[in-house]
Amino acid sequence: MLERTLIDTLLRPLARHPAARGLGDDAAILTPPLGRDLVLTHDVLACGVHYLPADPPSDVAWKLLAVNLSDLAAMGARPIGVLMGLGLSSAEDDAWLTAFTDGLGRALEKWEVALLGGDTVAGLDRAVLGLTAIGEVAHGRALTRRAAQPGDELFVTGTIGDAGLGLAIARGDADPDRYLLNRFRRPEPRLAMGQGLLGVASAAMDVSDGLLIDAQRLAAASGLRLAVDLTQLPLSDAAAARTPRADDALIERATAGDDYELLFTAPPAAAAAVAALAAACRVRVTRIGSVGEGDGLSITGVGGRALRPARLGYEHGGGGST
Amino acid sequence: MLERTLIDTLLRPLARHPAARGLGDDAAILTPPLGRDLVLTHDVLACGVHYLPADPPSDVAWKLLAVNLSDLAAMGARPIGVLMGLGLSSAEDDAWLTAFTDGLGRALEKWEVALLGGDTVAGLDRAVLGLTAIGEVAHGRALTRRAAQPGDELFVTGTIGDAGLGLAIARGDADPDRYLLNRFRRPEPRLAMGQGLLGVASAAMDVSDGLLIDAQRLAAASGLRLAVDLTQLPLSDAAAARTPRADDALIERATAGDDYELLFTAPPAAAAAVAALAAACRVRVTRIGSVGEGDGLSITGVGGRALRPARLGYEHGGGGST
């Protein structure tokens, strides 16, 4: 498909927000909401690295949007719009592009996000898809990784390790399971939860590279030590059925990454607010540890054993901010 | 180089703006300037498509920033910050990355732009570099392609065709010339000129895909017809020496692209303001045609001949907004 056709036929119909100017100007023009801060993130998905060539194109579009919105969720921001950089190869034929933009359109509608602009380039060896997401949050109120306090409790949303199992399934390395595969291909950004955590959580981030490595990053950003009890790790039924109650198995789940759940800290007095929020958002929230003085992580396994895993997660840069 | 090393050692020192949060959070937090609109664009440069593998890495960084800032210039916006998506292959070794980020740092400083965030991914077959630029402009005042008026004059900044000749030189297809090569590798976004044109120009865009195809786009966006006199095409001395005064040669310059000059329209009464602005910005500005009723382009060549070139420029999507 000619890039001009891709833009005119498939992308322009998605760019209905006035700021996008019908993709007909050099740039988008956005009037920022008054008294709000903007939250900006850019994540890249490369074919063969972050998704597999056989993944359904609509799921690739979903994931490209979701991983970026997850960064906004971690700051408590409401998404406004996105710009995309689509680097395409000959593998992304007309059928692929049609299914991709169709899925993109549905995902944009679901999360009420506007397509504001972007760029396309054809002729690559494989697809490299970049997306910048812009969100807004009350001035000075954004959640960060830095403000955890000693005595806070450590929570995580949803379940951990599903996406890692889903990736193994997608690769043909594990027995099929629709739920787990879906958790790898269509992560759910915790937008409502993130916005609800404003004023409740002391610090937050999203879990993209593995629960343990991301917890270590939160600890470092706050200048404190996080205690993580792996026996409290929230597992889905499907993951639990594949996870013997043993340290090695729990560590595998907690280092697999691609969860796109929220990891956050809150003072003990906020426990009721956290529970109420979880109920309102219909999101499972599990207390998995606590915050103390010091630095780094202390990880506890089965029987209270102190664990020192050789590897805490992915080191590929991940997250939103480079 | 490990991506974590790239970020910690080379990129973080460039991310000094408070909004970047030291690249240590999930996203950047930007307090937008009061009463201003934001202008947002995203352009991708792929190795082998937009630049050559042998191009100096610092020039690649310059060009990545410049082509995006050129979109902001076309709207009359002042740049604020950028987010980058760096897709890297094994060809971008430590020396390349060090030279790239060094050049990036100098370009960011030159244009007073903040590095706000981004993402990196390694292991690609070749580099694909995306950049989102954010600028600001007085509310409702941004220049667009849509508001040219019948009777307006058509202007272009700088000189046209240099970058096309520079590309041929970089490819080894033409005799070396430092000036022309530099015009391909280090385009100059016309930021001061663009901001000065607010309230002076009626419509504007940047010339990225070829003067003629971009003029056609401006004509279409404004619903008018542009007359372009190719005998008025501004050529640098170096380009003039390689351009016989013949229609074919002039068309080649006017369809080569990568110029990153501003194409704009202004009423005849604004001629003095345009001249004063050109002098203040030390940018050559040339009247190359006029705006009339109708649609499309009328192109005039040597001796007043009407020309209908088979090709007006690149159709690769170009520009800023997809």
Side-chain angles (χ1 to χ4, degrees), chain A residues 181-265:
Chain A
L181 187 62
N182 210 44
R183 288 276 290 161
F184 167 66
R185 288 179 172 167
R186 296 173 75 88
E188 192 72 42
R190 300 300 186 188
L191 287 162
M193 192 72 200
Q195 291 163 56
L197 284 173
L198 289 169
V200 175
S202 50
M205 69 183 296
D206 80 328
V207 179
S208 55
D209 291 342
L211 176 71
L212 292 179
I213 199 165
D214 287 327
Q216 189 185 49
R217 289 171 185 157
L218 197 152
S222 287
L224 292 167
R225 184 171 183 82
L226 296 191
V228 179
D229 181 354
L230 281 189
T231 66
Q232 299 306 306
L233 197 70
L235 299 176
S236 65
D237 292 346
R242 297 175 187 221
T243 310
R245 198 181 150 76
D247 293 338
D248 283 1
L250 293 172
I251 288 171
E252 200 179 321
R253 300 291 164 264
T255 55
D258 255 2
D259 299 301
Y260 302 103
E261 295 293 349
L262 297 184
L263 181 70
F264 64 95
T265 59

Side-chain angles (χ1 to χ4, degrees), chain A residues 70-210:
Chain A
S70 180
D71 285 324
L72 300 189
M75 316 288 277
R78 189 186 68 80
I80 300 174
V82 301
L83 295 96
M84 286 194 314
L86 301 180
L88 303 168
S89 76
S90 57
E92 287 73 40
D93 58 11
D94 287 10
W96 195 97
L97 290 169
T98 303
F100 175 85
T101 49
D102 187 53
L104 180 70
R106 277 179 282 129
L108 290 168
E109 265 184 34
K110 178 184 163 67
W111 290 310
E112 298 175 9
V113 190
L115 176 63
L116 299 179
D119 193 15
T120 61
V121 47
L124 303 185
D125 304 291
R126 59 166 140 171
V128 183
L129 312 172
L131 189 140
T132 298
I134 301 130
E136 51 101 356
V137 64
H139 176 60
R141 296 282 305 283
L143 294 168
T144 74
R145 302 178 181 179
R146 303 183 187 191
Q149 300 297 322
D152 281 355
E153 301 187 311
L154 180 67
F155 298 90
V156 71
T157 61
T159 54
I160 294 295
D162 296 331
L165 290 164
L167 171 60
I169 293 165
R171 282 184 172 147
D173 295 338
D175 291 339
D177 180 281
R178 224 182 147 68
Y179 171 83
L180 294 171
L181 187 62
N182 210 44
R183 288 276 290 161
F184 167 66
R185 288 179 172 167
R186 296 173 75 88
E188 192 72 42
R190 300 300 186 188
L191 287 162
M193 192 72 200
Q195 291 163 56
L197 284 173
L198 289 169
V200 175
S202 50
M205 69 183 296
D206 80 328
V207 179
S208 55
D209 291 342

Side-chain angles (χ1 to χ4, degrees), chain A residues 3 7 21 23 25-26 28 30-31 37-38 40 44 118-119 123 126 132 144-146 206 316 320-322, chain B residues 3 7 21 23 25-26 28 30-31 37-40 44 118-119 123 126 132 144-146 206 316 320-322:
Chain A
E3 289 172 81
I7 294 165
R21 311 189 60 73
L23 307 181
D25 259 304
D26 287 88
L30 183 71
T31 304
D37 286 340
L38 292 176
L40 300 143
V44 178
D119 193 15
R126 59 166 140 171
T132 298
T144 74
R145 302 178 181 179
R146 303 183 187 191
D206 80 328
H316 60 65
S321 293
T322 313
Chain B
E3 289 172 80
I7 294 166
R21 310 190 60 73
L23 306 181
D25 258 306
D26 287 88
L30 182 71
T31 304
D37 286 340
L38 292 176
V39 176
L40 299 143
V44 178
D119 193 15
R126 59 166 140 171
T132 297
T144 75
R145 302 177 182 180
R146 303 183 186 191
D206 80 328
H316 60 64
S321 292
T322 313

